[in-house]
Every structure is written in C-alpha cells, then in structure tokens.
Amino acid sequence: MVSARPAVAAMPAYRPGRNPADLAREIGVPRAVKLASNEVAFPPLPAVVEAIATTAGETNRYPDNGATVLTATLAERYGVAPAQVATGCGAVTVLQQLTQAYCDPGTGIAFAWRSFEMYPLLAQVAGARAQQVPLVPGAPGGAADTHDLEALAAVVDESTRLVFVCNPNNPTGTAVRRAELERFLDAVPETALVVLDEAYREFVTDEDVPDGVELMRGRPNVAVLRTFSKAWGLAGLRVGYLLAEDPAVADAVRRTHVPFSVSSLAQAAAVAALASEDEVRRRCAAVVTERARLTAALRERGLPVADSQANFVWLPLGERTAEVAAALESRAVITRPFAGEGLRVTVGTPEEDDVFLGALDAVLTSGGAAAADT
C-alpha cells in the first residue's frame, strides 16, 4: 500500500467556514448568517464584474503565466520594479511558495501563536521546525492577543529561514506599531527572511501601525505579503502577491509558482479592482465604522474585546469557545471558533451583526453566561 509522508498523514485538515445554505437546511431556517471567513459583505465591484465578463470569452486559452499586466500595475502602485513583485493563487499559496523556496528539512520558521493557522502546517509539510512564540496580553490582565516581538527575535537562530509577522494578527485583530516593529526588523539577522503578512492592511486605522512596504525599503531580508481576498472583494478568485526589497526573493517565489495558477479572470479582476480604489476605500471605511459599533456592543455585554485593526473582532472565551460557537450555529450564526482560545467574528453588515448580537444574547442568557467569564 502506498502511504503519504508521515508529516502529511499527521496534518489536521484545513476547516473553512461552514456554508450558510447548508446550515440553514440543517436546522430548518430560511437563512443563516456567516461571519466566519473575513469576507467583505459587499458584492463584487462593478468594474470587476465587467472585467470578468469581458475576459470570460478568452478562457479557452491559458492565462498569462507571468501576470504581466497585474505585476506592472502593482509595481507602479507601490513604487517598486516589476522584478520585486510575485503573484500567486491567494496569499496562502504565496506563503507555500516561500516555504518551498527557502526551507529545507530541519530549518526553522518562526512565528507568533496563535496566528494564521497555516503557518505551522506549512512548516510541517516542509519538514521545518515551527519556532512558535506565544502571544502576550496587549493590556494588563487581558487575554494573550498581541505579538511579543522581543521573544520572536530571540528564537531566531542560524537555522531560521523564514519569520512570519501577521500584522494585523489573524485571528486576534491586534497590530504591532512602528517603533517596536522597526526594532524587531533591525534585530533579525540577514540570514532570515521576514515576511510581513498584511492581509488586512486596508482596514488599519491606527496611524502608528506602519505600512510594511515603507519598512521594507532598504531592508533586503524583508518582504510584504498582501491579498485581494479581503478588502478588494475577490475571495472567490484567489489572488495574492508579494513585494520584496530584494528582487532575488521575488524571483525565488516565482520559481516555485505552479504554472498558470492565477487565472485570466482573477488577473483581470485584480487589475479592475485596483482601478476602483476609491470605492474600495469607501467600503473599508464602512467596515471600520461597523467594526467600532460591533466592538462597543460587545464591550457593553461585558466581553473583553481588544481594539481590532482588521475586519473581524476576537472574543477570548477560553474553554467555553466551542460551546458558544455551537450554540450560535444552532441559532443560524456561523463564527470561527479556535477551541480553548476564542471566537473570531467577521464584521458583517449592520443587519448581520444585529442577528449575531441577538443570538449571542440568547446564548449568554440561556446558561452560557459563564462564557463571558474571561
């Protein structure tokens, strides 16, 4: 019998957010609300729909393997050379390409934990050591939710090839600020590549949370990862990209690229989305406004919600997390539980968030009130 590698056989399966239509059928209600996957609630941009329609007639041909137009557009937007840009089928695929490009078995990948759940899985597949550093409370007496950059720098050794810094952090929504991030980047040896994972950058409102592209400049061992899946509304088309100060880093990522993995539709949609930036900014502003309302409403209910710089909020419910998430699902609201730690809730429309708050109230007043004891 042919067997998978032990490291692969031992991997937990990635669990996407539940399909709301499936849940609605299961519990017998007309509609379920999905606040699990950090999608934006807005429909695709009109320019994106037009670009997809125009490009659909060309899908009998392979896409541009180098994503030339998209790469040039990104290069111009960020003031870098096209050689400093690499695209991929979503940011997570670019992370996989980085791991393939830089990690041999026995090398290290350093990152905070809890953070983006794919980081340890990528290390496992590569046979690399996962150098995990626990989060620390961002406020005195609070739950662990913030990067400890000093501790992260301390674990980087001669075997460390990649360092992932998710800023804002997924799933806690917290962000590290300019001074501490600059000190960290200066402390990491040049033999390790620091990847600033900024999937939620467009939702940042704290002026002291730096744009990673600014910090990248002049630092050849720093790269910035971004995606079109969140603020730009292209989650269903899968487009991510890397900006690297050193063109050799982007070249290495392109060398591990699966040919033609960014479809023609995705490329055209991403270019159209970039041309609609004003509308995207308006949408992000609406998300930020709703984020503030949702955060205030949760705090009014006695829940210790940290300031989020992303399009989701984090409820540190500890051991009650799975129970609360299941109770919410029974009331047709899908959230993202991290068992034993907390619940991540996407900022939805005001109507969706009101449904969530109503369901949460029902949970907390029906024997689940202990969930707030954190």
Side-chain angles (χ1 to χ4, degrees):
M1 177 179 176
V2 177
S3 300
R5 291 170 47 215
V8 173
M11 286 178 61
Y14 178 79
R15 294 182 61 192
R18 286 199 66 180
N19 183 299
D22 290 343
L23 177 62
R25 283 192 297 270
E26 179 182 308
I27 64 177
V29 297
R31 172 176 174 255
V33 171
K34 181 185 178 186
L35 301 175
S37 300
N38 301 341
E39 302 140 327
V40 292
F42 301 100
L45 295 156
V48 166
V49 174
E50 182 179 351
I52 291 172
T54 300
T55 309
E58 304 169 9
T59 52
N60 60 308
R61 304 292 185 184
Y62 285 112
D64 174 8
N65 190 51
T68 306
V69 175
L70 176 57
T71 297
T73 304
L74 289 168
E76 182 178 1
R77 184 178 194 272
Y78 291 106
V80 298
Q84 294 173 264
V85 180
T87 61
C89 185
V92 67
T93 300
V94 180
L95 285 169
Q96 184 177 19
Q97 292 169 233
L98 280 161
T99 305
Q100 293 172 330
Y102 285 96
C103 293
D104 289 314
T107 57
I109 303 177
F111 51 89
W113 195 252
R114 173 168 296 271
S115 192
F116 182 38
E117 60 194 293
M118 286 301 299
Y119 296 160
L121 299 182
L122 291 168
Q124 190 170 342
V125 170
R129 291 182 301 114
Q131 298 173 283
Q132 297 183 188
V133 175
L135 298 173
V136 294
D145 60 13
T146 302
H147 276 74
D148 183 347
L149 290 183
E150 287 189 11
L152 187 58
V155 303
V156 177
D157 57 28
E158 65 279 358
S159 75
T160 306
R161 302 304 306 278
L162 294 171
V163 182
F164 297 142
V165 179
C166 192
N167 199 40
N169 187 47
N170 177 14
T172 62
T174 57
V176 292
R177 286 158 178 80
R178 182 179 305 276
E180 58 185 316
L181 189 52
E182 287 181 336
R183 285 195 300 271
F184 170 77
L185 294 177
D186 291 340
V188 173
E190 294 182 357
T191 52
L193 176 66
V194 179
V195 181
L196 302 177
D197 186 346
E198 296 187 336
Y200 300 94
R201 172 65 203 174
E202 292 85 356
F203 302 106
V204 171
T205 54
D206 185 337
E207 294 183 357
D208 200 28
V209 176
D211 183 327
V213 180
E214 296 176 8
L215 299 190
M216 176 190 80
R217 301 189 194 279
R219 292 183 169 94
N221 69 324
V222 175
V224 176
L225 181 69
R226 299 226 177 141
T227 182
F228 284 94
S229 294
K230 310 304 181 185
W232 302 89
L234 302 185
L237 288 174
R238 314 302 300 127
V239 193
Y241 59 97
L242 184 88
L243 306 172
E245 178 68 1
D246 184 354
V249 172
D251 178 68
V253 172
R254 287 192 293 270
R255 288 175 184 271
T256 53
H257 170 78
V258 175
F260 309 117
S261 58
V262 183
S263 72
S264 302
L265 299 181
Q267 292 181 40
V271 172
L274 288 170
S276 303
E277 185 169 0
D278 288 346
E279 176 58 26
V280 171
R281 289 184 182 276
R282 284 190 289 270
R283 292 181 173 194
C284 288
V287 171
V288 167
T289 298
E290 180 61 11
R291 179 180 74 193
R293 186 183 78 92
L294 180 60
T295 299
L298 291 167
R299 288 174 178 169
E300 289 170 1
R301 288 159 170 79
L303 294 166
V305 180
D307 291 333
S308 174
Q309 293 295 312
N311 70 330
F312 55 83
V313 296
W314 174 248
L315 306 185
L317 301 179
E319 294 304 317
R320 302 284 289 183
T321 298
E323 178 185 346
V324 172
L328 288 170
E329 282 202 9
S330 73
R331 292 164 172 82
V333 177
I334 305 168
T335 57
R336 189 60 175 267
F338 296 84
E341 298 178 68
L343 202 67
R344 192 188 69 194
V345 183
T346 304
V347 176
T349 65
E351 184 268 336
E352 289 173 333
D353 292 340
D354 284 343
V355 171
F356 159 67
L357 290 169
L360 183 64
D361 287 340
V363 171
L364 297 181
T365 58
S366 64
D373 294 339
T374 56

